[in-house]
Amino acid sequence: MSTAILTGQPVPGSSLEGDLRSLGFDVRSAAEAGDAETLLAAVPAGERVAVVDARFVGHPHALRLGLTDPRFPASAVPGAVSVQPEARRALTRAMARESSESGGLAVATDNLAGRLTAALDADGVAVYRPELGSLVAAVPTDPQERNEIRQAVSAVDDEAVRLRGAVKARDGFFTTYCISPYSRYIARWCARRGLTPNQVTTASLLTALIAAGCAATGTRAGFVAAGLLLLFSFVLDCTDGQLARYSLQYSTLGAWLDATFDRAKEYAYYAGLALGAARGGDDVWALALGAMILQTCRHVVDFSFNEANHDATANTSPTAALSGKLDSVGWTVWVRRMIVLPIGERWAMIAVLTALTTPRITFYALLVGCAFAATYTTAGRVLRSLTRKARRTDRAAQALADLTDSGPLAGLLVRLARGTARHTAPVSALVGGFLVVASAVLWGSGWQTVLFAVVYTLMSAIAVVSPLKGALDWLVPPVFRAAEYLTVLVLAAKADVNGALPAAFGLVAAVAYHHYDTVYRIRGNAGAPPRWLVRATGGHEGRTLLVTVLAAVLTAAQFEVALTVLAVAVAVLVLFESIRFWVTAHLGGAPAVHDEGEPA
């Protein structure tokens, strides 16, 4: 239970106390500053506490936005301020000063909440002030002003504003016009029945897994059912975020579940399509794995670029200015969002093609679309990086270093290479990655591939020997991802044995999960995964070298078994640590997050 302290004399006919109770507050009244200080001291230290002027007039949703958002230690709207435990000490100090200065006098005509908010600002506490838009929140000083404000409140539909606010501010065309117009009402239905965003997220995952199972039947009826269920899973995927925004139920665990389940749903569906195709005599596992690799590398490009420029200074360029101008022309915004094939457009395409065509055609279309989108976004970001004069921070360099997933072999070589000349990081990474993938294509499981895997290990160490602060250094993590994943794909394909490609699919899925988990930890300001996990999983260079050695020394059948064992081992390690970390962070009261981010 949270506590709200009403300051000043109650106003006859005011609904304020009822509004606060409906938001989950235990309401207490203080006619004097000294009483407010006493009531504040009596509130348990682990609870949220709000101070609200009894004269407040406004929409209940304005109070909800200003007093209950779990993402911020302190938040305020005119006439009300709320703090979570981490900002409680600052509020107590401010209240003590106000009580001392007023001598405990009545506060009926004094906006104590407003003065406390100003005091928190002066103490360096970051006070969040939500954008209210057409919502009203004010403290009238006389009856006439009070009547005018009440009329302004009546003129705006609080619930309509709340529903509009539940929709993501920036989303793809398909989601904005084909899903959100009705999914927001599903979110409200869920909120009124006490459902949580995490429950809706789980329902979306289960629906997608059932869709994958239907696709795996290999029948036309199964494919049609799979397409419909995949679309319904996406509706639920939109609903969970809208429910979180509608009811302000943000959480660290929820943000992680939403992000990781999206990837799990999509890649499980790829596997279902591949199994369904196999039942019809068509082997498309290489296409399924290729689609997963391409999609993962696209995301790593997004993550790396954003992290490199998250807090960069002098971060402007002619290319960025042109992009801003294009965004000012309405239709170009939607075209540019659609051609990058965000999750809404992508899932709609997959669902329709699954129902109407074959898995092979579905994967062909997916690969072409994702390849075009990846080329478009990567080229634009390269141009921005080359034309801007951004100065990267140590934090950005560390984030990029964490995203590289460099293991113990690269770490040892980096220590040996300290003090050597600085090489261009993206070039070193690209040369090493190209050599190991090309050797796998040319020689398959031969020892030449092992030799070039060693070269890749050396080049990957050279790429990270210095902090990644160069203009294009954000390309290093996606190059490493592509090199590792493609090597596994090529070697499994060349093994030419049933089961090798599905095993490779499982291995890449487990490793990709580890890389996504690293991204979400960095985004949540939790740092990279622990070093023991990186060492245990070998890092990208260690795993690449190990797979090439296994391919060289084992028969094709043994190589399939080895890939399966490796996939299971990596999955167990990364899932155990990931689940342990996020559940512990959630139970430990880590700050709630909600990442609007780019359309996935």
Side-chain angles (χ1 to χ4, degrees):
M1 175 69 73
S2 302
T3 299
I5 301 172
L6 279 180
T7 62
Q9 297 299 325
V11 176
S14 173
S15 63
L16 178 58
E17 186 170 340
D19 291 339
L20 289 170
R21 293 188 190 280
S22 71
L23 296 177
F25 286 97
D26 177 22
V27 182
R28 303 175 186 178
S29 298
E32 300 178 348
D35 295 340
E37 183 181 13
T38 301
L39 290 174
L40 177 61
V43 177
E47 289 186 4
R48 174 191 287 274
V49 61
V51 178
V52 185
D53 194 302
R55 298 167 298 167
F56 176 90
V57 178
H59 289 98
H61 191 48
L63 283 174
R64 180 182 290 106
L65 292 172
L67 303 184
T68 67
D69 197 319
R71 297 173 295 175
F72 308 101
S75 55
V77 291
V81 61
S82 171
V83 299
Q84 297 203 71
E86 54 265 41
R88 177 72 171 277
R89 188 184 299 273
L91 180 65
T92 301
R93 289 196 302 265
M95 182 73 82
R97 288 197 299 269
E98 293 298 326
S99 179
S100 175
E101 292 173 2
S102 67
L105 299 178
V107 293
T109 59
D110 192 13
N111 190 346
L112 178 61
R115 297 212 316 273
L116 290 174
T117 302
L120 291 174
D121 285 328
D123 279 353
V125 178
V127 181
Y128 170 68
R129 293 172 172 83
E131 292 287 341
L132 297 180
S134 59
L135 295 175
V136 177
V139 179
T141 57
D142 58 63
Q144 180 179 350
E145 184 183 3
R146 185 174 189 83
N147 287 333
E148 292 174 352
I149 295 174
R150 281 179 169 175
Q151 291 175 7
V153 170
S154 300
V156 176
D157 187 341
D158 178 270
E159 180 61 19
V161 173
R162 189 180 177 189
L163 276 171
R164 287 197 301 270
V167 177
K168 196 173 182 179
R170 184 181 186 278
D171 222 326
F173 180 88
F174 179 78
T175 304
T176 299
Y177 290 104
C178 299
I179 303 296
S180 292
Y182 58 87
S183 61
R184 70 183 76 181
Y185 295 101
I186 300 176
R188 182 173 66 181
W189 183 90
C190 293
R192 291 177 174 177
R193 283 153 183 80
L195 297 177
T196 68
N198 290 352
Q199 291 170 333
V200 178
T201 301
T202 302
S204 176
L205 172 66
L206 294 176
T207 303
L209 293 179
I210 295 173
C214 291
T217 63
T219 63
R220 178 52 53 194
F223 287 147
V224 171
L228 293 173
L229 286 170
L230 186 64
L231 286 176
F232 181 60
S233 174
F234 182 65
V235 172
L236 293 177
D237 183 54
C238 295
T239 300
D240 62 4
Q242 290 167 355
L243 174 58
R245 285 181 286 271
Y246 181 84
S247 56
L248 299 187
Q249 296 185 72
Y250 303 120
S251 71
T252 298
L253 182 63
W256 171 68
L257 289 176
D258 183 54
T260 55
F261 281 9
D262 278 351
R263 305 287 76 78
K265 288 181 288 188
E266 189 166 3
Y267 299 157
Y269 192 81
Y270 293 174
L273 281 177
L275 288 170
R279 287 181 177 273
D282 190 12
D283 186 356
V284 297
W285 275 106
L287 297 178
L289 181 51
M292 181 168 67
I293 291 172
L294 182 54
Q295 189 58 33
T296 303
C297 291
R298 277 187 64 200
H299 283 146
V300 177
V301 167
D302 295 340
F303 300 146
S304 295
F305 180 81
N306 290 335
E307 288 302 322
N309 294 283
H310 177 71
D311 50 6
T313 58
N315 201 13
T316 60
S317 74
T319 308
L322 175 61
S323 177
K325 290 181 180 179
L326 289 174
D327 283 342
S328 66
V329 182
W331 65 270
T332 66
V333 174
W334 293 118
V335 171
R336 295 171 69 202
R337 291 184 189 180
M338 291 174 66
I339 62 176
V340 299
L341 209 63
I343 189 170
E345 279 76 359
R346 192 167 67 250
W347 281 27
M349 181 185 75
I350 294 171
V352 171
L353 291 177
T354 298
L356 300 180
T357 65
T358 66
R360 180 172 289 274
I361 293 175
T362 302
F363 281 124
Y364 281 154
L366 184 62
L367 286 167
V368 170
C370 287
F372 177 80
T375 302
Y376 171 78
T377 56
T378 305
R381 287 169 178 173
V382 168
L383 286 174
R384 289 190 184 194
S385 299
L386 292 175
T387 56
R388 67 178 25 144
K389 303 297 181 182
R391 293 186 292 275
R392 302 270 157 61
T393 63
D394 292 337
R395 179 218 170 269
Q398 183 58 54
L400 291 179
D402 293 334
L403 288 173
T404 63
D405 190 33
S406 298
L409 288 176
L412 175 62
L413 293 171
V414 165
R415 287 193 293 272
L416 295 176
R418 292 292 185 194
T420 59
R422 171 77 160 88
H423 293 267
T424 304
V427 173
S428 300
L430 189 60
V431 169
F434 173 79
L435 289 175
V436 70
V437 174
S439 64
V441 172
L442 293 174
W443 295 294
S445 59
W447 284 101
Q448 299 95 324
T449 305
V450 176
L451 174 62
F452 281 105
V454 173
V455 174
Y456 170 69
T457 301
L458 294 171
M459 298 300 291
S460 65
I462 292 173
V464 298
V465 73
S466 298
L468 298 175
K469 292 186 176 183
L472 296 177
D473 284 3
W474 56 269
L475 285 169
V476 172
V479 168
F480 285 164
R481 297 297 81 79
E484 178 185 359
Y485 299 164
L486 287 175
T487 300
V488 174
L489 166 61
V490 172
L491 290 178
K494 282 187 166 289
D496 198 24
V497 60
N498 289 335
L501 279 168
F505 187 96
L507 174 59
V508 172
V511 175
Y513 176 88
H514 167 57
H515 292 144
Y516 279 113
D517 187 58
T518 301
V519 168
Y520 302 135
R521 291 185 190 230
I522 293 173
R523 283 187 166 182
N525 295 317
R531 289 303 302 170
W532 73 261
L533 180 64
V534 178
R535 289 194 295 269
T537 55
H540 70 93
E541 80 289 351
R543 290 187 298 269
T544 303
L545 180 59
L546 176 61
V547 169
T548 61
V549 171
L550 291 174
V553 301
L554 300 177
T555 65
Q558 292 171 336
F559 181 57
E560 173 201 338
V561 174
L563 285 178
T564 303
V565 172
L566 186 57
V568 172
V570 172
V572 168
L573 283 172
V574 300
L575 284 172
F576 168 79
E577 166 53 25
S578 177
I579 294 171
R580 181 207 64 78
F581 170 80
W582 289 104
V583 172
T584 302
H586 176 72
L587 297 177
V593 297
H594 188 74
D595 179 26
E596 296 289 345
E598 297 284 330

